[in-house]
């Protein structure tokens, strides 16, 4: 075989191997990571969990690894045996209601004046894009979303706000995201969604999984209130496909 | 039932942790010093995941409304049962109406109060470990009532066979992290030889060190991080991630602590000293 392996191995703990791809994040790489992760779980025994970043997978075993070279060879063999070109497209699309009213959008005024776009233009650009869920981290249910239109890039705040509210939709640098719970946060708040992103009492606490796509649709403050007080806010989440 | 008459400093219910939910952004949590935690349950012949109260610096004052057995492990935290001092690392019989009271730690940082059968608090995502935003309570509240099990005590006999961690030790056994190779010789030498000081910023999420590393590494694409990961921030601060740490991070990971080192670090507090002891994995 003349093909070069696209990832490197790094053992960072007796129980853990880190696989790292030396490339920029892309949706192609994301598909590869998710597909490999699923297959590693199926083909190896004794794995406690696999976590994922933009360009890496961290595989954790329950016990210390005693046969590193065997595991490496098995991983390489598994990788080459997989057909990444025929990954079944099972991802879902979620359309989330967001209220961009100034009551919630406390940083929209500043952001719109600094990037020289009207508030309506910011909302329109923000709601027209499709965002891809790369992984979940930072807080329970915080989706790392890719796909923010470069016209809306805006740096994080110099010092984080101590109490970014639950449901806040925000822009930080080249990213947009939703705060699943009240927390400190340095991103600029441009709206709020009444949809709960994380419910620890549910069997599936988070409706979205990596690989899914997300978009936003604007609602009024009255509609926001209505959804919040409705017994089943998730029914306002429009799932497509 | 146990009544909390007075709260201590930072007292939380912990078990072995919350596993299998890191993919949803949920930290693993669990007892900071898993060694002391495990002993608390072993001495009572409890299931290994029975919950304990993790008592940081100072424990609470508790009134027992039913008979049971308890044990205290971890940091040296003097305790009085009614008006008698109690010893650590052994089962202690409790009568209905007894009051248990703690003073400040005299050595170490976190002690564990184990109870027969564990504390019967809420289970969220397969764990009782309290974590803000996830469990209803993020610590033991004053005047609250904590339910406990009524189970018979079957003494195990065997106690303290394996040596305990030496809490006075300052050596944290560590492995090279994925970005260690980006450090220059001067930074590597500093990390290997310097005695570092734990800063005031130390809690269940992470421990910041006072001495800085004078090298700015580029940020990396957000990637998995976990308890024991040692991050280097752009201003040169080393952050040693602990049990409640975020599951992903964008700071370079220059070291990974061994499991024993995490347990030892759980017993260090502000102004305590530590030294890294870097070991090869193979």
């Amino acid at each position: 075989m003349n093909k070069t392996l696209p990832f490197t191995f790094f053992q960072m703990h007796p129980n853990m191997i880190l696989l790292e791809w030396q490339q920029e994040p892309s949706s192609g790489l994301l598909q590869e990571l998710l597909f490999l992760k699923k297959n590693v779980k199926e083909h190896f025994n004794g794995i406690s969990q696999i976590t994922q970043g933009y360009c890496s997978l961290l595989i954790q075993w329950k016990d210390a690894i005693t046969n590193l070279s065997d595991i490496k060879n098995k991983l390489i063999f598994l990788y080459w045996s997989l057909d990444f070109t025929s990954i079944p497209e099972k991802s879902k699309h979620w359309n989330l209601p967001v209220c961009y009213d100034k009551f919630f959008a406390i940083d929209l005024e500043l952001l719109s004046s600094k990037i020289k776009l009207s508030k309506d233009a910011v909302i329109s650009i923000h709601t027209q894009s499709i965002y891809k869920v790369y992984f979940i981290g930072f807080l329970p249910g915080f989706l790392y979303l890719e796909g923010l239109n470069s016209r809306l890039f805006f740096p994080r705040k110099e010092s984080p706000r101590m109490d970014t509210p639950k449901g806040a939709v925000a822009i930080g640098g080249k990213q947009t995201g939703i705060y699943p719970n009240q927390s400190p946060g340095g991103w600029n708040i441009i709206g709020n969604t009444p949809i709960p992103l994380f419910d620890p009492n549910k069997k599936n606490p988070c409706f979205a999984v990596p690989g899914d796509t997300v978009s936003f649709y604007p609602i009024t403050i009255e509609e926001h209130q209505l959804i919040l007080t409705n017994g089943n806010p998730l029914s306002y989440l429009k799932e497509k496909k | 039932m146990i009544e909390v008459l007075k709260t201590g400093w930072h007292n939380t219910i912990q078990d072995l942790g919350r596993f299998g939910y890191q993919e949803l952004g949920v930290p693993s949590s669990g007892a900071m010093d898993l060694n002391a935690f495990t002993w608390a349950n072993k001495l009572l012949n409890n299931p290994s995941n029975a919950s304990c109260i993790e008592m940081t610096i100072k424990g609470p004052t508790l009134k027992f409304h039913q008979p049971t057995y308890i044990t205290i492990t971890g940091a040296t935290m003097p305790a009085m049962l009614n008006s008698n001092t109690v010893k650590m690392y052994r089962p202690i019989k409790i009568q209905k109406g007894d009051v248990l009271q703690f003073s400040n730690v005299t050595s170490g940082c976190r002690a564990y109060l184990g109870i027969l059968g564990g504390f019967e608090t809420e289970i969220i995502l397969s764990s009782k470990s309290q974590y803000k935003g996830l469990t209803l309570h993020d610590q033991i509240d004053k005047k609250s009532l904590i339910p406990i099990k009524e189970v018979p005590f079957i003494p195990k006999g065997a106690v303290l066979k394996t040596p305990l961690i030496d809490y006075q030790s300052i050596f944290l056994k560590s492995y090279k992290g994925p970005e260690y190779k980006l450090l220059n010789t001067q930074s590597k030498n500093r990390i290997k030889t310097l005695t570092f000081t734990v800063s005031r910023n130390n809690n269940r999420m992470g421990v910041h060190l006072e001495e800085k590393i004078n090298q700015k590494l580029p940020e990396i694409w957000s990637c998995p991080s976990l308890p024991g990961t040692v991050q280097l921030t752009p201003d040169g601060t080393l952050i040693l991630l602990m049990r409640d740490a975020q599951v992903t991070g964008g700071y370079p990971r220059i070291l990974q602590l061994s499991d024993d080192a995490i347990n030892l670090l759980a017993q260090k507090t502000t102004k305590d000293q530590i030294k890294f002891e870097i070991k090869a994995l193979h």
Side-chain angles (χ1 to χ4, degrees):
Chain A
M1 257 185 289
N2 278 329
K3 289 185 279 184
T4 337
L5 203 63
F7 57 85
T8 54
F9 292 91
F10 186 86
Q11 188 176 9
M12 61 185 281
H13 179 275
N15 303 18
M16 303 173 202
I17 296 178
L18 179 70
L19 309 183
E20 289 186 293
W21 279 252
Q22 309 303 323
Q23 50 186 278
E24 295 282 297
S26 66
S27 59
L29 176 57
L30 175 66
Q31 288 302 326
E32 189 169 319
L33 294 176
L34 295 174
F35 195 53
L36 184 60
K37 179 173 152 186
K38 179 174 165 281
N39 277 280
V40 170
K41 276 184 181 167
E42 285 166 8
H43 287 83
F44 284 83
N45 293 324
I47 287 180
S48 68
Q49 64 177 346
I50 305 180
T51 46
Q52 172 219 338
Y54 277 113
C55 311
S56 55
L57 289 178
L58 177 64
I59 312 173
Q60 299 183 51
W61 273 266
K62 288 179 189 123
D63 302 303
I65 297 160
T66 51
N67 48 348
L68 183 66
S69 59
D70 287 358
I71 286 181
K72 270 189 187 175
N73 287 335
K74 203 177 161 188
L75 278 168
I76 294 169
F77 184 80
L78 175 67
Y79 180 81
W80 290 126
S81 71
L82 295 175
D83 181 5
F84 291 97
T85 56
S86 66
I87 303 171
E89 187 64 56
K90 275 193 297 190
S91 68
K92 290 177 174 163
H93 179 77
W94 307 94
N95 201 7
L96 273 76
V98 174
C99 176
Y100 294 92
D101 188 281
K102 62 177 186 296
F103 177 77
F104 295 115
I106 47 182
D107 297 320
L108 182 55
E109 186 90 49
L110 178 76
L111 181 136
S112 97
S113 72
K114 285 277 166 74
I115 61 175
K116 299 191 170 64
L117 282 172
S118 71
K119 285 191 270 183
D120 285 343
V122 171
I123 295 165
S124 154
I125 296 170
H126 195 252
T127 50
Q128 273 162 23
S129 299
I130 304 268
Y131 305 94
K132 193 146 195 115
V133 180
Y134 268 63
F135 54 93
I136 306 174
F138 173 53
L139 289 170
F142 187 92
L143 312 177
Y144 277 79
L145 298 175
E146 278 291 304
L148 182 68
N149 189 307
S150 60
R151 295 167 75 193
L152 299 187
F153 288 179
F154 191 64
R156 290 162 208 214
K157 299 187 120 20
E158 288 282 314
S159 57
R161 196 175 261 126
M162 286 323 289
D163 52 350
T164 301
K166 179 178 179 173
V169 174
I171 286 175
K174 298 175 181 180
Q175 291 175 293
T176 188
I178 310 149
Y179 285 82
N181 227 320
Q182 187 188 353
S183 93
W187 292 19
N188 306 279
I189 304 169
I190 61 162
N192 192 285
T193 180
I195 302 291
L197 268 292
F198 193 84
D199 183 351
N201 298 308
K202 281 217 160 73
K203 191 169 165 274
N204 272 333
C206 190
F207 54 83
V209 297
D212 283 358
T213 50
V214 166
S215 59
F216 303 110
Y217 68 93
I219 53 167
T220 64
I221 196 159
E222 290 78 17
E223 287 167 317
H224 183 281
Q225 188 60 27
L226 196 74
I227 298 173
L228 259 193
T229 51
N230 181 287
N232 185 17
L234 283 179
S235 62
Y236 291 85
L237 184 67
K238 295 181 186 165
E239 182 190 335
K240 292 176 186 167
K241 267 184 251 177
Chain B
M1 202 71 85
I2 296 175
E3 186 182 348
V4 181
L5 299 180
K6 262 191 198 165
T7 49
W9 193 69
H10 186 66
N11 301 152
T12 60
I13 301 277
Q14 297 293 338
D15 54 20
L16 290 171
R18 197 165 268 120
F19 294 100
Y21 300 96
Q22 279 64 57
E23 289 173 68
L24 303 178
V26 179
S28 52
S29 297
M32 291 278 275
D33 179 351
L34 281 175
N35 185 61
F37 168 87
T38 300
W39 270 109
N41 283 325
K42 266 189 194 167
L43 293 165
L44 294 168
N45 209 0
N46 272 347
S48 60
N49 196 30
S51 60
C52 294
I53 297 180
E54 178 175 280
M55 307 179 289
T56 308
I57 307 295
K58 188 183 195 303
T61 301
L62 304 171
K63 185 174 181 180
F64 295 83
H65 291 277
Q66 70 192 72
T68 184
Y69 279 82
I70 59 161
T71 191
I72 303 159
T73 62
T76 311
M77 189 181 282
M80 299 281 279
L81 183 63
N82 305 320
S83 52
N84 306 309
T85 56
V86 289
K87 290 192 166 132
M88 294 180 67
Y89 284 97
R90 67 201 60 200
I92 302 156
K93 195 174 161 67
I94 297 288
Q95 312 279 4
K96 186 180 173 181
D98 280 355
V99 173
L100 179 70
Q101 181 179 349
F102 289 92
S103 316
N104 280 17
V105 281
T106 53
S107 161
C109 179
R110 292 177 172 90
Y112 292 84
L113 176 67
I115 198 154
L116 199 58
F119 294 91
E120 291 284 279
T121 51
E122 57 171 342
I123 299 173
I124 299 288
L125 303 177
S126 334
S127 167
K128 288 179 182 165
S129 290
Q130 292 182 325
Y131 175 75
K132 196 174 180 173
L134 208 55
T135 50
L136 200 55
H137 302 276
D138 58 3
Q139 57 181 320
I140 307 278
D141 298 319
K142 195 183 171 182
K143 289 185 179 157
S144 63
L145 291 169
I146 309 172
I148 57 168
K149 275 191 180 156
E150 211 154 323
V151 286
F153 177 49
I154 305 152
K156 211 180 179 183
V159 286
L160 286 184
K161 268 190 180 164
T162 54
L164 283 166
I165 291 177
D166 172 14
Y167 290 154
Q168 305 305 316
S169 167
I170 64 164
F171 295 101
L172 301 180
K173 188 176 135 188
S174 328
Y175 313 105
K176 288 173 185 170
E179 281 75 52
Y180 180 82
K181 57 182 184 283
L182 302 179
L183 294 170
N184 59 33
T185 315
Q186 196 194 349
S187 302
K188 282 180 184 167
N189 283 339
R190 193 168 160 82
I191 287 161
K192 282 182 200 160
T193 57
L194 196 68
T195 301
F196 290 89
T197 315
V198 172
S199 88
R200 284 171 57 93
N201 197 341
N202 68 91
N203 53 42
R204 287 191 45 89
M205 284 184 76
V207 173
H208 295 227
L209 301 181
E210 284 183 1
E211 294 78 8
K212 298 198 172 182
I213 301 299
N214 232 334
Q215 187 185 350
K216 196 169 174 166
L217 293 182
E219 286 204 23
I220 53 178
W221 286 105
S222 284
C223 57
S225 57
L226 66 160
T229 301
V230 180
Q231 298 176 324
L232 177 59
T233 68
D235 79 342
T237 305
L238 291 173
I239 305 176
L240 287 58
L241 299 183
M242 293 302 273
R243 309 282 182 198
D244 282 350
Q246 294 169 198
V247 300
T248 53
Y251 295 135
R253 303 152 292 178
I254 57 160
L255 296 172
Q256 178 68 35
L257 302 182
S258 67
D259 296 354
D260 283 346
I262 300 176
N263 294 332
L264 177 58
L265 184 61
Q267 296 299 350
K268 302 294 179 194
T269 184
T270 316
K271 293 288 170 202
D272 279 347
Q273 299 199 310
I274 59 121
K275 252 184 118 150
F276 295 108
E277 204 176 47
I278 303 176
K279 298 273 182 189
L281 267 161
H282 36 77

